[in-house]
């Protein structure tokens, strides 16, 4: 994430000097609407709506696209739990799909999981690594499904010349502390579909009926308050200018760090769905033991150990609990939804054998070159773990 510093402080100072902290207070001249307009221009998408978190961005996108009780939504088994929570929040149920070696939803597996009740696909661009959107969109078209991209971890990243989040019917970003740009918390819904944007406006702001409704194409409905404050808008406006420079730094570091794995035995860079534009780096090992050992290096993390992103730890989902028994979407589903760990052995196996390599955008190149030689050395001096004899 880019640093926060003088430009964020200056923008915040201006908001405080005006004394108007509501996002609507300055009309189109406020930081929040300007942030939305600039982001839309930069990504080449018709509508951007800032909201107060990435989770709420996903929930708003699903609700605005018309997902609800009785619907099934396909989500990957490797993601942050919010991806699976979002369908539940609109009364639908998440159905888990294995990831492939690229760490994103496997399009073949995806198609196998479709039932007559499937309504939407929620692919996730994890770790700045893009999904196979061509294949996913083709599946969606064949079956008449909606696609809502969870691009919470990948704002700004390109897939074959288009920015992620703008390819499906709607997309969601997060601006929490860990994301490519941040305001501590925050999110955004983006779409090219006017009706989805109109419904998102209503859904995210109970006061929308007094605001001259841009969303007047449909009778007014109301949900919850997910508005951002102008303080968030100000920080995001300043952060946005740092996004493309950040992505350029990541891309340069990706090219440089990739050399550490050239010619290495027993491991390779994970397959990538748009290798020329890669800005997130993961490495796939033949053996879980090798991945575990490599994960000890500075700036490297074995994915199975980031356990918050692994479905086996999502107790609230696996136990199908809800805040109130009569508001539990699983009882509105058209069939029994089951989460059997053994159905997702493939995902777990890939996560055990994969390490993420931090690209250190905040460090100067010489530091990263040093890190590369340390990693290269670790790979060449390692004693390869014995391969299992029998087919696993
Ligand atoms: C961060 C994240 C979210 C949710 O974002 P919040 O802003 O924390 O609510 C959703 N999905 C993925 C994949 C994320 O990484």
């Amino acid at each position: 994430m880019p640093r926060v510093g003088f430009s964020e402080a200056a923008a915040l100072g201006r908001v405080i000097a005006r004394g108007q902290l509501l996002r609507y207070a300055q009309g189109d001249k406020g930081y929040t609407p300007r942030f939305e307009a600039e982001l839309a221009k930069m990504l080449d998408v018709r509508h951007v709506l800032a909201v107060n978190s990435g989770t709420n961005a996903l929930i708003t996108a699903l609700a605005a696209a018309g997902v609800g009780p009785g619907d099934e939504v396909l989500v990957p088994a490797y993601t942050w739990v919010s991806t699976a929570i979002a369908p539940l929040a609109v009364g639908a149920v998440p159905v888990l799909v294995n990831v492939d070696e690229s760490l994103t939803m496997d399009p073949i597996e995806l198609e196998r999981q479709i039932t007559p009740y499937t309504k939407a696909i929620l692919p996730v661009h994890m770790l700045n690594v893009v999904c196979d959107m061509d294949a996913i969109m083709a599946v969606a078209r064949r079956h008449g499904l909606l696609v809502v991209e969870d691009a919470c971890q990948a704002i700004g990243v390109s897939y074959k010349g288009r920015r992620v989040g703008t390819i499906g019917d709607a997309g969601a970003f997060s601006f929490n502390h860990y994301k490519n740009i941040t305001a501590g918390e925050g999110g955004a819904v983006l779409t090219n579909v006017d009706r989805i944007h109109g419904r998102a406006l209503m859904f995210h702001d109970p006061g929308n009926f007094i605001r001259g409704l841009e969303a007047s194409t449909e009778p007014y409905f109301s949900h919850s308050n997910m508005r951002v404050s102008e303080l968030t808008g100000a920080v995001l406006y300043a952060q946005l200018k740092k996004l493309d420079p950040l992505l350029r730094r990541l891309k340069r570091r990706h090219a440089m760090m990739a050399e550490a794995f050239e010619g290495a035995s027993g491991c390779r860079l994970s397959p990538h769905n748009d290798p020329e534009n890669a800005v997130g780096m993961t490495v796939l090992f033949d053996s879980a033991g090798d991945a575990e050992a490599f994960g000890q290096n500075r700036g490297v993390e074995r994915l199975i150990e980031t356990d918050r992103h692994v479905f086996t730890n999502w107790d609230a989902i696996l136990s199908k609990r809800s805040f109130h028994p009569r508001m539990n979407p699983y009882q509105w589903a058209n069939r029994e939804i089951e989460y059997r760990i053994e159905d997702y052995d493939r995902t777990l196996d890939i996560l055990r054998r994969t390490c993420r390599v931090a690209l250190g955008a905040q460090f100067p190149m010489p530091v990263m070159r040093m890190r590369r030689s340390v990693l290269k050395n670790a790979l060449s001096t390692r004693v390869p773990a014995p391969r299992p004899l029998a087919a696993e």
Side-chain angles (χ1 to χ4, degrees):
M1 71 213 85
R3 294 221 171 95
V4 287
F6 181 76
S7 54
E8 289 79 5
L12 283 170
R14 259 175 237 126
V15 174
I16 288 170
R18 282 189 205 123
Q20 302 280 353
L21 308 194
L22 184 72
R23 67 154 292 174
Y24 298 114
Q26 306 286 317
D28 288 346
K29 291 195 229 27
Y31 279 111
T32 311
R34 275 157 65 208
F35 165 73
E36 291 170 337
E38 291 216 358
L39 183 57
K41 200 166 98 203
M42 179 176 165
L43 302 178
D44 194 19
V45 67
R46 255 172 95 77
H47 303 287
V48 172
L49 174 67
V51 293
N52 58 5
S53 77
T55 308
N56 277 341
L58 288 168
I59 294 169
T60 301
L62 289 173
V67 177
D71 294 336
E72 296 177 13
V73 178
L74 296 164
V75 307
Y78 172 60
T79 180
W80 170 237
V81 65
S82 290
T83 316
I85 288 171
L88 292 168
V90 300
V93 290
V95 170
L96 303 184
V97 178
N98 275 307
V99 298
D100 60 25
E101 290 180 346
S102 77
L103 302 167
T104 62
M105 194 181 256
D106 179 346
I108 295 164
E109 168 97 9
L110 166 67
E111 194 154 19
R112 279 206 294 265
Q113 298 261 33
I114 293 173
T115 71
Y117 315 113
T118 308
K119 177 82 174 225
I121 308 171
L122 201 34
V124 183
H125 306 285
M126 277 298 273
L127 307 169
N128 275 336
V129 171
V130 294
C131 297
D132 186 350
M133 287 309 292
D134 285 345
I136 290 171
M137 294 307 289
V139 172
R141 254 179 245 118
R142 266 201 297 282
H143 297 271
L145 304 177
L146 293 161
V147 175
V148 174
E149 294 174 76
D150 181 341
C152 284
Q153 296 197 4
I155 181 173
V157 178
S158 298
Y159 170 80
K160 299 186 181 172
R162 294 167 75 185
R163 304 273 196 154
V164 294
T166 68
I167 300 164
D169 299 276
F173 294 144
S174 165
F175 307 120
N176 87 19
H177 178 70
Y178 301 102
K179 307 302 159 99
N180 286 350
I181 59 172
T182 181
E185 299 283 1
V189 182
L190 37 156
T191 182
N192 285 305
V193 183
D194 295 345
R195 177 163 181 264
I196 292 179
H197 178 63
R199 286 171 58 90
L201 275 172
M202 284 195 267
F203 188 80
H204 101 296
D205 180 3
N208 218 334
F209 71 104
I210 54 165
R211 295 192 217 288
L213 270 196
E214 233 181 280
S216 59
T217 51
E218 271 183 59
Y220 180 78
F221 64 82
S222 173
H223 181 67
S224 181
N225 182 356
M226 302 177 171
R227 293 190 307 260
V228 284
S229 92
E230 188 62 355
L231 297 171
T232 299
V235 174
L236 291 176
Y237 184 82
Q239 283 271 296
L240 188 56
K241 301 199 186 330
K242 302 178 178 178
L243 179 58
D244 273 342
L246 169 81
L247 294 166
R248 281 196 292 274
R249 285 201 300 281
L250 289 174
K251 198 169 166 184
R252 271 204 305 278
R253 281 161 177 72
H254 187 285
M256 189 273 288
M257 295 295 279
E259 288 169 27
F261 305 96
E262 275 167 19
S265 69
C267 74
R268 61 198 159 94
L269 288 185
S270 303
H272 192 287
N273 292 310
D274 184 10
E276 255 130 77
N277 295 301
V279 290
M281 178 175 280
T282 60
V283 184
L284 180 67
F285 286 81
D286 292 343
S287 91
D290 280 359
E292 188 179 6
F294 191 69
Q296 307 304 311
N297 288 291
R298 183 189 289 267
V300 182
E301 188 173 35
R302 188 186 178 212
L303 294 186
I304 196 82
E305 281 154 29
T306 59
D307 44 17
R308 62 190 178 278
H309 291 144
V310 185
F311 75 97
T312 47
N313 296 298
W314 304 341
D315 186 54
I317 305 284
L318 300 184
S319 61
K320 303 187 215 167
R321 270 194 299 273
S322 158
F323 66 92
H324 192 290
R326 294 183 67 183
M327 286 286 270
N328 189 327
Y330 290 97
Q331 74 193 10
W332 308 327
N334 287 294
R335 65 185 180 106
E336 182 75 17
I337 303 295
E338 287 182 279
Y339 302 117
R340 278 184 300 257
I341 308 277
E342 62 271 23
D343 291 345
Y344 303 97
D345 280 347
R346 177 148 171 255
T347 294
L348 294 174
D349 171 59
I350 290 166
L351 296 179
R352 278 188 201 102
R353 293 189 293 116
T354 304
C355 290
R356 179 179 82 93
V357 178
L359 294 177
Q362 71 278 30
F363 298 122
M365 280 296 250
V367 171
M368 294 311 291
R369 270 195 215 98
M370 244 149 67
R371 217 180 248 187
R372 175 181 65 185
S373 58
V374 170
L375 295 185
K376 208 168 172 161
N377 201 37
L379 287 173
S380 62
T381 56
R382 113 196 112 110
V383 185
R387 297 291 307 269
L389 294 176
E392 279 174 292

